[in-house]
Amino acid sequence: MDDEIIEQIRQQHVDNYRNGILDIIDNNSKALVEDIQTLIKKPPLEAMDIIKTKFLSLAKKNKIILNTIELDNILDEFRGHLFEVSTEIGKMRVKSLNDIINNTKLDDNNVIKINKKHFVDINKEMKKKFKTEFSSAIDNFSDSVIVVFNSDLDDKIKEEIVKDLIKYIKGNYFKQLLDNFDIKILVKDTTLINSVKEQSERYLFTLNNSRVLNDLDN
């Protein structure tokens, strides 16, 4: 077989391998976004809505009836903001990892490798953005939540209830959310490392054993 044709086939094999890794990264990151969003989205049962339940509990303690329709709207906005953030985080991750792949030279049986060290900086940036945007979402929530109270209710009582709620959201709620956030990332990072390794092993096997790529017919 002509050397030029063999080289074209070999290059196509390399390109398919690289593009396959990029697809794995894209799908893995989309799955991560979905996992993060499961932590944020409205639960199927009202009793599972931790923030709403906490708010209603504080209101009940003070013998106050809240406008639950307005509360649902505000919570939807809060969650919607974090949904957008999770999508942005996924895009950040894809870009960072794609840069690694595209900058890897593939020659002399060299393969693409993704290790734990490759996730250090991007995971730090992702978590930083999530924390920042969570704080922003909480500020918007705090400013908007006043509409759930009756207008004739004493302002001090309103402020005290909101203060207690925000303290809970920024404290226990956010801590648990971050813990789960970290777990979701760790699982997807580990899955990606293994998937890339498997893809690389298949690539090398074909590269080293294909009759066409090694011109074994000549």
Side-chain angles (χ1 to χ4, degrees):
M1 185 179 292
D2 184 86
D3 288 346
E4 184 176 346
I5 294 177
I6 293 176
E7 182 56 34
Q8 289 177 356
I9 295 174
R10 184 182 293 270
Q11 185 58 50
Q12 184 179 27
H13 180 58
V14 171
D15 291 341
N16 289 342
Y17 166 57
R18 191 188 301 275
N19 290 332
I21 297 292
L22 294 175
D23 284 341
I24 288 173
I25 290 173
D26 188 58
N27 291 330
N28 179 273
S29 296
K30 286 179 179 177
L32 173 61
V33 170
E34 291 175 357
D35 283 354
I36 293 173
Q37 289 179 343
T38 60
L39 303 174
I40 302 165
K41 70 179 182 180
K42 185 176 181 178
L45 299 177
E46 187 171 292
M48 298 169 64
D49 191 333
I50 299 174
I51 297 178
K52 183 175 181 179
T53 301
K54 180 66 175 180
F55 205 165
L56 293 175
S57 176
L58 290 170
K60 184 177 180 180
K61 180 179 178 181
N62 289 273
K63 299 180 180 179
I64 295 169
I65 297 177
L66 302 178
N67 185 329
T68 55
I69 295 178
E70 289 290 353
L71 178 56
D72 286 337
N73 291 336
I74 295 171
L75 286 173
D76 286 344
E77 290 179 9
F78 171 72
R79 292 187 173 106
H81 184 105
L82 295 180
F83 257 63
E84 292 178 5
V85 174
S86 63
T87 300
E88 293 173 15
I89 283 174
K91 292 178 181 178
M92 289 169 55
R93 186 174 186 266
V94 168
K95 183 181 183 306
S96 176
L97 295 174
N98 281 2
D99 287 345
I100 295 172
I101 306 309
N102 290 324
N103 290 327
T104 300
K105 293 183 179 180
L106 295 173
D107 50 34
D108 299 328
N109 286 348
N110 186 37
V111 296
I112 295 169
K113 295 179 181 178
I114 293 184
N115 303 311
K116 290 181 179 179
K117 65 180 182 180
H118 293 124
F119 296 104
V120 174
D121 290 339
I122 183 58
N123 286 352
K124 187 182 297 182
E125 287 301 311
M126 287 163 55
K127 193 168 183 178
K128 179 181 178 182
K129 182 172 183 62
F130 189 75
K131 285 182 175 181
T132 300
E133 294 298 334
F134 184 89
S135 294
S136 176
I138 285 297
D139 289 340
N140 293 336
F141 178 86
S142 181
D143 292 339
S144 304
V145 78
I146 199 72
V147 300
V148 306
F149 297 104
N150 293 328
S151 58
D152 58 349
L153 184 64
D154 186 274
D155 287 341
K156 288 185 178 180
I157 297 178
K158 295 178 186 177
E159 292 173 1
E160 195 63 33
I161 293 175
V162 173
K163 179 182 177 181
D164 288 345
L165 179 64
I166 299 302
K167 180 180 178 181
Y168 167 75
I169 295 176
K170 288 183 175 181
N172 292 343
Y173 175 81
F174 190 47
K175 182 181 182 301
Q176 184 176 5
L177 184 60
L178 274 185
D179 287 344
N180 288 323
F181 180 86
D182 288 339
I183 291 172
K184 298 294 186 184
I185 290 177
L186 177 60
V187 170
K188 284 298 178 287
D189 287 353
T190 302
T191 300
L192 182 57
I193 289 172
N194 292 333
S195 297
V196 170
K197 183 179 179 181
E198 291 173 4
Q199 188 82 353
S200 296
E201 289 173 351
R202 287 196 292 270
Y203 162 75
L204 279 182
F205 179 84
T206 302
L207 188 66
N208 294 323
N209 294 279
S210 169
R211 292 177 59 86
V212 174
L213 291 176
N214 291 282
D215 194 21
L216 296 180
D217 291 328
N218 290 346

